[in-house]
Structure formats: structure tokens, C-alpha cells
Amino acid sequence: MLKKFPFDDGVLRGLVILDPGRRADTDYSSIVSLANKFCPNVNLEELKEEYEDYQLLEDCHIPLQDESGSRKAIDKVWSNILQMKPPMGQVRFPVLRKVMHALLCLPHSNADCERVFSQVRKIHTDCRKNLNSDTLTALLQCKLNSDACCDIQPSGPQVDLAKNATYAYNSEHK
């Protein structure tokens, strides 16, 4: 696996900017190339100014550990950095915020895709092969957007509408 891993990939090399502990070691070209690739509509001059400001932050202003002393997750660290406000009350890093949000949303594996395919296989069974794609999409959205979809209790009118629709469909397709 290590032989096949793309260690020299430009994106992977550039993502070192996500590590606040290495902010002094990174240069502006890394964030520019990532911004051009994942957030192309940002003002690069403003981004440069904000990135330099971020690099000059003192370590005491970057909360790398939580109250118990354990290392915070990188998204929590960036959440704190991007919520910083100068005395005037505006967000300190508005352009950097857009770029970091785009970078932190990059999937780290294909687990999410595999999870969705698994859910589709559970919905689209042999008994339900004729599901319309809109129906399949709606059922999948319900499953993915609900913490406990098995606990959903439809109202009486919803059940009646579903039964009527099923009856009408079955009558048309005998």
C-alpha cells in the first residue's frame, strides 16, 4: 500500500497548511494552489494577507488542546481560529475561512460513498426492483437525514395517502 500511496501528490503536500503547528514552515504558494483548485473564486491578494496574519499568530492564540490536555481534532482547531474577531468585531479571516471550509470538507476516504451504496442495496431489493428513481432518492434521503428513521411515526392522513397511492398504482399495473 505504501508503494502505491501518492506521497508526491501536490494536493497532499499542500494540505500541510491544515496543521497549525507547521504554519511557519508553509509558504503562500501551497494555499494558492489549493484555493485555485477547490475554491477558485476567492481574492488571492486578500487570501495572502490573511494567511500571513494567520502565520504570525502567537501559539497561545491557537487552541491545540482541550481542557483535559488532549489534542483537539483539526476541524475544532480551525473552527476556533476562523471564529477569531479583532476588536472591531468582524471575522478576522473571511477569505481564509472559505478556503479552509472547502479543504476540511474534502473526503478522507471512500467510506461515505460505500455507506450510500450499502443503503441503496438495502432499499432496492429483489422485491422492490421497480422503484422509480425519484422514490429511491426520497427513501435514501429519509434514511440518510434521519438519525433513527425506524422511529418515524407517520400521521394518519400520511398513511391514508400512501395506501391510496399504492392501491391506485397496483390497480393500474395489474
Side-chain angles (χ1 to χ4, degrees):
M1 182 172 92
L2 288 175
K3 290 178 185 176
K4 293 182 180 181
F5 195 80
F7 286 110
D8 57 342
D9 181 73
V11 172
L12 288 177
R13 278 196 322 260
L15 287 176
V16 72
I17 65 169
L18 290 173
D19 184 357
R22 297 185 55 191
R23 68 187 181 283
D25 303 335
T26 59
D27 64 347
Y28 177 65
S29 64
S30 296
I31 195 158
V32 167
S33 67
L34 291 170
N36 284 331
K37 189 171 191 92
F38 298 106
C39 200
N41 297 327
V42 298
N43 182 321
L44 295 179
E45 286 302 315
E46 289 178 19
L47 178 62
K48 181 178 181 181
E49 289 176 19
E50 289 181 18
Y51 192 69
E52 289 172 351
D53 184 20
Y54 155 71
Q55 285 182 304
L56 295 173
L57 283 175
E58 295 181 30
D59 289 338
C60 63
H61 291 111
I62 299 178
L64 295 175
Q65 297 178 340
D66 60 15
E67 297 81 29
S68 67
S70 55
R71 188 168 173 88
K72 280 187 177 180
I74 197 72
D75 59 332
K76 302 291 185 204
V77 173
W78 274 103
S79 175
N80 290 337
I81 292 170
L82 298 175
Q83 290 177 14
M84 291 180 174
K85 295 182 179 179
M88 294 160 298
Q90 298 170 337
V91 175
R92 186 171 181 175
F93 305 114
V95 179
L96 185 62
R97 170 185 238 155
K98 290 178 186 175
V99 174
M100 290 303 167
H101 278 220
L103 296 178
L104 290 168
C105 289
L106 293 174
H108 303 305
S109 71
N110 64 347
D112 290 333
C113 298
E114 294 297 332
R115 193 172 297 116
V116 170
F117 286 131
S118 174
Q119 291 295 329
V120 169
R121 278 192 299 272
K122 290 177 182 176
I123 294 170
H124 196 258
T125 63
D126 285 339
C127 296
R128 300 170 94 183
K129 282 206 181 284
N130 294 331
L131 277 179
N132 166 319
S133 65
D134 292 337
T135 305
L136 181 64
T137 301
L139 290 169
L140 185 60
Q141 286 175 340
C142 287
K143 265 197 168 321
L144 294 175
N145 293 323
S146 177
D147 292 334
C149 63
C150 60
D151 296 335
I152 294 174
Q153 296 295 323
S155 67
Q158 287 175 320
V159 172
D160 291 340
L161 286 171
K163 285 181 179 179
N164 291 339
T166 303
Y167 179 77
Y169 179 84
N170 289 338
S171 297
E172 291 175 19
H173 296 90
K174 283 187 178 180

